[in-house]
């Protein structure tokens, strides 16, 4: 068991385990300077938005100005989290007009992201927008342009990449310890109704408590449907399927760790509905092969069979695996462990001489172990929250005016991977991104 700088050794699992030091949030004792206060608003106080609001308000200097949601129950929830005196409204434009508002969380379903990010930027507000950044690929460049034009911070919400574990993984890859990266594989599996987005509908959901027409946004008009409102992920009119919901975190993580900020050159998907044939329009199982310029990526997510979430960076110098809230790096030396098998079919005299020489040259010397035994595991400390770190990065950007890595361009490139995967699945073709025409092509 060993300890490394910046970490403490913990009980080993064969290899040593290092508990990473949390990157300490700035201590801000005493009263905040007036310009350090951040007035925060939120649009969409649902399953994700409510958690975001709770976490964001625990950071120093952050005060909730108000909340917008189209369901009255969620406005009540916002006051339960942030206090009775916050401003609440169904109309996000009223929120954007409130005095003292600096930054806005956008945590609505995907089909509203682009419109709301644009509205926030045009109103001079910085934005924390949930993933995937866009609902369709074409929205991405427009969102980047509007953020630039109004000099706004736009950070996307794949919070995992703000974690110390991802920072460590990035450091290991950048050090060259993996040698030449040859493949990245990433997978996740669920096997339960909740994992398949079959969420319960609140008993008071009705056209009286929900502004359905506004919620539909750019989607085609249809009569009030509480199932669509609660389980919007199941239809491409509002969501982005497994790719936009789950691939996006994996792609974001891979891009961050590998230092990539571009879309894949192409994507080819297969999948289908194998367990949850409940009227949904998106597959419950999706596998995609991505070709990135520097490495291929194999990705799969299933809602029909559980498997732990894992991403493996596979290189000539070893394998780095992210799983179970930590990472394990197992080095490889790429050498033979025994004489070459082809020589076993040589005539005896030649074979025996070769084998003798091979052992003389290659057998481990005393004190030399197998490099794989130097496998190293790093974990985040107990109670660590990458979401808190992600908000810390966001609020630091808001204060310093320097964007953090998951800005709109980064978010667009990650989202493009998802859109290409979906295009390939639905059109049964290999999908590529035509950046000049701002279009996906089959
Ligand atoms: N980063 C993560 O780990 C993570 C996890 C879950 C969800 N998400 C993302 O968060 C977003 C929200 O997901 P969710 O599960 O919380 O959805 P949800 O349906 O639980 O909540 C969305 C809320 O937005 C409201 N809304 C929709 N359009 C609105 C509008 N125009 N104005 C005001 N309110 C509006 C709805 O009424 C609803 O209350 C999605 O983009 C999703 O992909 C991210």
């Amino acid at each position: 068991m060993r300890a490394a700088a910046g970490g403490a050794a913990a009980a080993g699992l064969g290899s040593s385990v290092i508990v990473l030091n949390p990157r300490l949030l700035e201590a801000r004792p005493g009263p905040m300077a007036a310009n350090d206060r951040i007035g925060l608003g939120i649009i969409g106080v649902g399953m994700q938005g409510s958690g975001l609001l709770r976490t964001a308000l625990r950071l120093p200097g952050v005060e909730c100005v108000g909340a917008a949601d189209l369901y009255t129950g969620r406005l009540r929830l916002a006051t339960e989290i942030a206090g009775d005196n916050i401003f609440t409204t169904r109309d996000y434009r009223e929120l954007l007009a409130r005095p003292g508002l600096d930054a806005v969380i956008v945590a609505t379903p995907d089909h509203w992201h682009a419109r709301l990010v644009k509205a926030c930027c045009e109103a001079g507000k910085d934005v924390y927008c949930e993933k995937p950044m866009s609902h369709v690929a074409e929205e991405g460049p427009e969102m980047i342009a509007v953020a630039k034009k109004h000099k706004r911070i736009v950070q996307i919400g794949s919070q995992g990449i703000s974690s110390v574990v991802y920072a460590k993984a990035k450091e290991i890859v950048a050090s060259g310890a993996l040698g030449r990266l040859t493949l990245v594989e990433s997978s996740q599996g669920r096997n339960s109704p909740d994992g398949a987005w079959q969420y319960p509908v609140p008993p008071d959901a009705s056209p009286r408590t929900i502004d359905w027409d506004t919620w539909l946004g750019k989607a085609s008009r249809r009569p009030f449907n509480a199932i669509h409102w609660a389980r919007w992920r199941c239809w491409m009119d509002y969501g982005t399927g497994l790719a936009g919901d789950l691939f996006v975190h994996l792609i974001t993580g891979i891009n961050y760790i590998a230092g990539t900020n571009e879309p894949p050159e192409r994507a080819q998907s297969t999948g289908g509905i194998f367990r949850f044939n409940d009227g949904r329009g998106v597959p419950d199982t999706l596998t995609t092969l991505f070709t990135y310029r520097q490495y291929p990526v194999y990705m799969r997510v299933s809602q029909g069979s559980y498997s732990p979430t894992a991403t493996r960076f596979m290189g000539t110098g070893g394998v780095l695996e992210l799983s179970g809230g930590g990472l394990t790096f197992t080095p490889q030396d790429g050498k033979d462990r025994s004489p070459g098998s082809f020589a076993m079919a040589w005539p005896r005299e030649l074979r025996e001489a070769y084998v003798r020489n091979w052992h003389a040259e290659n057998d481990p010397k005393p004190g030399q172990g197998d490099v794989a035994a130097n496998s190293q595991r790093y974990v985040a400390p107990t109670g660590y929250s990458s979401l808190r770190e992600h908000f810390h990065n966001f609020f630091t950007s808001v204060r310093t005016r320097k964007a953090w890595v998951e800005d709109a361009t980064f978010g667009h490139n990650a989202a493009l991977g998802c859109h290409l995967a979906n295009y390939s699945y639905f059109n049964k073709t290999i999908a590529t991104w035509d950046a000049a025409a701002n279009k996906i092509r089959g």
Side-chain angles (χ1 to χ4, degrees), residues 43-49 68-71 74 90 92 106-113 116 130-132 157-159 199 210 214-215 229-230 232-233 244-245 249:
I43 308 176
V45 196
M47 200 166 63
Q48 178 69 355
D69 202 293
L70 300 172
Y71 165 47
R74 254 91 196 240
R90 279 187 170 191
Y92 70 86
V106 170
T108 60
D110 310 346
H111 70 306
W112 263 97
H113 288 181
L116 292 173
E130 262 310 335
K131 47 53 47 173
S158 271
Q159 65 278 2
Y199 301 139
I210 295 173
T214 306
W215 186 88
W229 177 79
W232 54 264
R233 285 168 171 79
D245 202 48
H249 288 297

Side-chain angles (χ1 to χ4, degrees), residues 132 134-137 240 243 412 414-424 431 440:
S134 53
H135 181 231
V136 294
T240 41
H412 173 53
L416 275 180
C418 310
H419 299 314
L420 290 184
N422 279 333
Y423 188 97
S424 170
I440 299 180

